[in-house]
Amino acid sequence: MGRLLLLLLLPLARVPALPLYNGFYYSNGPGGQNTGNGRGEGVFNGVKLVVEMPEETLFSHRGANVTLPCHYRYEPALVTPRPVRIKWWKLSENGAPEQDVLVAIGLRHRSFGDYRGRVHLRQDREREVSLEIRDLRPEDYGRYRCEVIDGLEDESGLVELELRGVVFPYQHPQGRYQLTFHEAKRACEEQDAVVASFEQLFRAWEEGLDWCNAGWLQDASVQYPITLARQPCGGLGLAPGVRSYGPRHRRLHRYDVFCFTAALKGRVYYLEHPEKLTLAEAREACLEDDAQIAKVGQLFAAWKFRGLDRCDAGWLADGSARYPVAHPRPNCGSPEPGVRSFGFPDPQRREYGVYCYRPR
Ligand SMILES: *[C@@H]1O[C@H](CO)[C@@H](O)[C@H](O)[C@H]1NC(C)=O
C-alpha cells in the first residue's frame, strides 16, 4: 500500500510531506521476542512505524549545506531498539527514473551518483535519519523520499527542496523558436543554468514574469507566462496564467526555453574600461582583470539576488549584450526592473562594455 500511495501522490504538483503510514502492523512474538518470520505469524501487538518529515518546502541556495529532516518512531514506543535500514531517494521531475541518494544499514552508508561524497546521514537524536546535502547544486532541487525499512515493512515520507533562483527566457542567437529540447538543455547549461521546471516557471509568473514567446520546460512541455492578457499573446479572451502548448516532440519541434539559475557564489560586475569593446576584446579584458566574461544566467542571478544595477549595456559570453536594472529610472529602459537585452549584435561593433564574473 506504501507503493500505491506513492503512485497516487506522484501526479500532484505539490505533495505535502505528511507523515504517512501504510497501516501495517508487524508481529512481535509473545514476551516481546521477535519471531522473525515476517508478517502473518505470531501475535500482533499493534505496533506501528511512523515516519515524520516537515510539511513545508525547504528553501536553500547554491553552494549551501542543507539538512532534510526525517525522524521515525513506533506507536506505541518500543523498549528495545530495532535495527533499521534507511534509504533516501529523489523522485524524478519528468518521468525519468528516480535517483538513489543514500542507503544506510547500521553504521554503514553508501551514497550514489552525483551525491557521492556530498551526503551524510545525520543522527543527532535517537531515531533521527536526516539527510545532509553539502555544496548544493542547481539540479538538487526536487522531492526527496526518506524510507525506513525495519525488516518486515517500510514507511516513508516526502520533503521538497527548492533552491532560490531566477527563471529567465532564452532565445537562440538566430531568433525566435530555433531550439529543439536537447538544444534548449544545452543552451541553458551554457548560461550556467538548467531548464526550468513547471513549478519554477509558475513561481516566476506569480512574481510577475510575463513573456510572449513559448519555451521548453524540464518535462518537455512548452509553455509561456502571461501576467497581462493582450492581443498578440494568445488574445484578450484568455485569463492571465501560465499557458501551455502541452508536451512537444523533443527533436522535431523548436521553441525558446525557460532557464533556471540558482543564486550565485561569486560576483558579477561591469568592467570599468576607458573604451567600448568588440566581443573578442571584451573576453580578453575580463581575463586581464582575473575574471571571465559573465554568462547570461550569472547576470540574471546578480540582478535578482545582489541587486546589480547598471545602465550600461555590456557583452556576455554568448555574444549577447544586456544590462541589469534593479531600480528603474528614466533613460534606462522600461519602467519595470529586469535584465534588458540588445539581442546578439555584430561582434565587431565597439558600442558596448562588458560584464565580468569572478567565482569568489
Ligand atoms: C558545509 O559543510 C562542510 C563540512 O562540514 C564545511 O566545510 C563547509 O564550510 C560548509 N559550507 C557552508 C557553506 O556552510
Side-chain angles (χ1 to χ4, degrees):
M1 184 166 168
R3 298 284 167 212
L4 179 61
L5 265 178
L6 174 60
L7 288 175
L8 291 173
L9 289 171
L10 270 174
L12 300 178
R14 261 175 207 284
V15 179
L18 293 171
L20 31 104
Y21 77 95
N22 62 12
F24 179 75
Y25 293 79
Y26 65 80
S27 147
N28 271 355
Q33 297 291 106
N34 190 340
T35 55
N37 285 330
R39 65 194 291 184
E41 201 194 44
V43 179
F44 283 79
N45 287 348
V47 177
K48 186 169 78 185
L49 175 61
V50 179
V51 171
E52 282 184 326
M53 300 180 74
E55 277 184 47
E56 65 279 4
T57 298
L58 303 175
F59 285 87
S60 193
H61 55 89
R62 174 150 64 180
N65 298 341
V66 68
T67 299
L68 310 183
C70 181
H71 295 83
Y72 68 94
R73 63 190 156 81
Y74 295 95
E75 282 180 0
L78 290 187
V79 182
T80 41
R82 295 168 52 91
V84 292
R85 286 198 300 144
I86 307 300
K87 184 179 172 192
W88 273 95
W89 38 283
K90 185 177 177 227
L91 274 62
S92 66
E93 286 289 309
N94 50 0
E98 69 227 12
Q99 255 177 296
D100 286 337
V101 176
L102 176 138
V103 170
I105 306 167
L107 293 172
R108 285 177 301 151
H109 301 169
R110 182 162 171 213
S111 50
F112 299 89
D114 290 344
Y115 292 99
R116 206 168 291 154
R118 288 198 301 138
V119 290
H120 302 267
L121 206 60
R122 291 194 65 136
Q123 297 178 289
D124 301 342
R125 286 192 283 147
E126 209 180 343
R127 306 207 171 93
E128 175 179 3
V129 288
S130 303
L131 181 75
E132 185 188 40
I133 311 178
R134 293 189 183 154
D135 192 18
L136 276 181
R137 299 178 182 170
E139 59 274 22
D140 287 342
Y141 75 85
R143 286 178 290 154
Y144 289 79
R145 188 170 280 281
C146 169
E147 189 171 11
V148 179
I149 305 151
D150 98 336
L152 297 166
E153 194 49 38
D154 59 293
E155 277 308 330
S156 66
L158 272 181
V159 65
E160 180 161 5
L161 173 66
E162 261 197 47
L163 261 62
R164 276 164 54 78
V166 52
V167 170
F168 61 94
Y170 192 79
Q171 232 168 43
H172 188 272
Q174 276 157 23
R176 190 174 190 244
Y177 295 174
Q178 300 285 327
L179 302 165
T180 64
F181 181 67
H182 298 283
E183 289 163 354
K185 279 177 88 158
R186 201 172 332 125
C188 288
E189 281 159 19
E190 285 169 2
Q191 306 319 315
D192 200 23
V194 294
V195 178
S197 67
F198 174 77
E199 282 83 2
Q200 289 164 347
L201 182 67
F202 188 82
R203 197 174 287 273
W205 170 76
E206 287 180 318
E207 291 172 3
L209 182 66
D210 183 283
W211 192 251
C212 206
N213 296 318
W216 291 105
L217 294 180
Q218 192 63 251
D219 61 0
S221 69
V222 168
Q223 317 207 19
Y224 64 101
I226 294 298
T227 320
L228 188 66
R230 53 199 187 275
Q231 205 53 52
C233 305
L236 294 164
L238 283 172
V242 176
R243 296 183 184 159
S244 180
Y245 289 4
R248 301 273 101 179
H249 195 288
R250 291 166 191 245
R251 283 190 307 277
L252 298 181
H253 293 138
R254 292 175 184 273
Y255 290 95
D256 296 346
V257 60
F258 291 97
C259 305
F260 172 85
T261 191
L264 270 186
K265 267 201 260 182
R267 189 169 85 91
V268 173
Y269 59 98
Y270 183 82
L271 184 70
E272 300 300 338
H273 197 273
E275 295 116 41
K276 304 286 190 201
L277 306 158
T278 66
L279 177 58
E281 289 165 351
R283 285 183 205 286
E284 194 58 36
C286 287
L287 288 177
E288 280 169 15
D289 205 43
D290 200 19
Q292 284 162 8
I293 188 167
K295 297 176 175 176
V296 177
Q298 293 164 346
L299 186 67
F300 269 92
W303 163 73
K304 173 95 176 179
F305 298 108
R306 302 279 165 81
L308 186 66
D309 185 289
R310 181 90 196 202
C311 213
D312 297 295
W315 291 107
L316 295 174
D318 64 341
S320 62
R322 303 177 197 239
Y323 65 100
V325 177
H327 310 288
R329 51 198 179 276
N331 305 321
C332 197
S334 92
E336 301 294 325
V339 173
R340 330 272 193 227
S341 177
F342 284 85
F344 294 83
D346 176 352
Q348 298 303 326
R349 258 159 71 176
R350 278 200 183 85
E351 286 177 24
Y352 308 104
V354 61
Y355 287 92
C356 306
Y357 169 67
R358 207 178 274 152
R360 285 161 295 98

